[in-house]
Amino acid sequence: MADDQKPGGSEAAPPPGSEAAGQPAKPAPPKPAAAPPKPAAPPPPKPPAIMLATPWESDLARELKEAFGEAIGETSTYLGQNFIVAKPGSAIPILEYLKLESDFDYLVDVTAVDWPKRAERFDVVYILYSFSRNERVRVKIFIPDGYQPETAVGVHLTADWLEREVYDMFGIEFAGHPNMRRILMPDEWQGFPLRKDYGILQQDERWVQENLGIESGQ
């Protein structure tokens, strides 16, 4: 028997549809393209930070409470920063007491914070430093829009320019100040740039056009 006739001696018959059977193999169907990954949803906005102050217990805090009683509504500390919340009419006597009795003889800054939705719209903050104690303390008062706190110039001469800056940026006027006018912005400027209702792109276009000769400063 010829080899090609012997059992097992011939090659197995190619499967139907193969190239060996005389027919080209069909290409495999293309795999469907993977769908692009969906973009991750943005994280929810963080809630506003809450200032978690704790009671400030010290000899100085007790002295102030004894000296001014109900005029001091709070003595607290936050991240090592001690502060007093006082009634607006008591701010100057407290500053004077801290200077003469407790050696807080340097008025570092006077600044403000705007809370437009609050009845007492502004915080006014006095930051004091004692060289002999190497210590800072803040005195805060809460005032409504239009209220004029008394100037601190009679206690600290540095209050002169500091209070002018608060007026220039927030529109808070200090009663009895010797020269209550703008210090950073031009005298003719309209509005107060650090108030929350003064938009970030807002400007006094009239002043820009008249003094700079351009349509916009943006």
Side-chain angles (χ1 to χ4, degrees):
M1 182 181 293
D3 288 342
D4 58 356
Q5 295 178 346
K6 292 180 180 179
S10 62
E11 296 180 359
S18 68
E19 292 181 357
Q23 296 181 2
K26 294 181 179 179
K31 294 182 179 180
K38 295 182 179 180
K46 294 182 179 180
I50 299 175
M51 180 176 167
L52 298 176
T54 56
W56 173 33
E57 301 293 344
S58 70
D59 291 340
L60 178 59
R62 286 187 286 273
E63 288 175 17
L64 290 168
K65 287 180 179 179
E66 291 175 2
F68 294 95
E70 295 182 356
I72 293 180
E74 181 183 350
T75 55
S76 298
T77 187
Y78 175 70
L79 297 179
Q81 301 178 39
N82 304 323
F83 65 92
I84 302 158
V85 178
K87 292 183 177 180
S90 300
I92 302 307
I94 291 172
L95 295 180
E96 189 171 20
Y97 180 93
L98 286 168
K99 178 182 179 180
L100 299 178
E101 304 297 332
S102 304
D103 293 331
F104 285 89
D105 48 1
Y106 176 32
L107 178 62
V108 179
D109 199 6
V110 181
T111 187
V113 183
D114 184 11
W115 304 93
K117 297 182 180 180
R118 198 178 69 183
E120 296 170 321
R121 177 170 179 170
F122 297 104
D123 297 359
V124 177
V125 186
Y126 305 85
I127 303 174
L128 302 164
Y129 179 72
S130 169
F131 288 95
S132 62
R133 303 164 68 117
N134 189 24
E135 184 179 349
R136 283 180 172 82
V137 68
R138 289 162 172 79
V139 178
K140 295 185 180 183
I141 59 174
F142 304 149
I143 62 170
D145 195 2
Y147 181 90
Q148 295 186 7
E150 184 182 351
T151 182
V153 171
V155 181
H156 294 280
L157 290 177
T158 51
D160 188 339
W161 284 16
L162 299 174
E163 290 176 351
R164 284 179 60 187
E165 184 176 352
V166 172
Y167 164 68
D168 200 0
M169 296 291 105
F170 293 93
I172 300 171
E173 297 187 47
F174 291 83
H177 190 283
N179 189 20
M180 190 83 274
R181 61 186 180 88
R182 292 188 183 274
I183 191 171
L184 299 175
M185 306 302 290
D187 290 337
E188 304 83 9
W189 196 265
Q190 301 297 313
F192 305 101
L194 290 187
R195 287 192 178 213
K196 295 288 179 63
D197 53 9
Y198 192 99
I200 193 169
L201 297 179
Q202 187 175 346
Q203 60 177 325
D204 189 339
E205 293 187 0
R206 179 187 62 81
W207 189 94
V208 170
Q209 292 169 8
E210 290 179 0
N211 292 274
L212 302 182
I214 60 177
E215 288 297 321
S216 171
Q218 301 300 326

